[in-house]
Amino acid sequence: MNRIERIQQMLQASPQDNFLRHALALEYIKTGDDTEAEKLFKAILTECPDYVGSYYHLAKLLERNGNTQEAINWYEQGMQAAKKTNDMHAYNELQSAYEDLVY
């Protein structure tokens, strides 16, 4: 059983586990399935906007696929969420990636 299958199996028991969903999205990226990864990241952030770790990966995925404006929007939302949760490490990573893209 590969990693994706193992994570999917664990998600059957806990379908709303954001840690597992985030891990699955990262595995999809590794296999080149950006569409499924994007769906998962967006689902996580729609349902739990304070799950700060997913903003960076979603925005990077969008940036890599040429969706620059959407990536900028997600970086901005992520910076706001990071401020709200007082996660300055995540804020700095998001801000750096945002500035690299915008400037």
Side-chain angles (χ1 to χ4, degrees), residues 10-40:
M10 289 185 274
L11 276 168
Q12 287 177 357
S14 301
Q16 300 302 27
D17 185 316
N18 287 327
F19 179 81
L20 291 174
R21 291 166 47 178
H22 181 91
L24 182 58
L26 293 176
E27 290 301 318
Y28 282 137
I29 288 172
K30 288 180 189 175
T31 65
D33 193 346
D34 286 351
T35 301
E36 286 303 311
E38 182 178 341
K39 286 180 195 175
L40 273 172

Side-chain angles (χ1 to χ4, degrees), residues 69-89:
Q69 188 55 53
E70 190 176 2
I72 289 168
N73 292 340
W74 283 105
Y75 282 131
E76 290 172 344
Q77 289 178 53
M79 286 185 287
Q80 289 173 358
K83 275 186 183 178
K84 180 181 172 191
T85 60
N86 205 26
D87 186 341
M88 294 315 294
H89 176 75

Side-chain angles (χ1 to χ4, degrees), residues 3 7 9 13 25 31 34-35 45 48 74 80 82 96 101-102:
R3 292 174 68 108
I7 296 169
Q9 187 177 38
T31 65
D34 286 351
T35 301
L45 295 171
C48 186
W74 283 105
Q80 289 173 358
S96 177
L101 182 59
V102 173

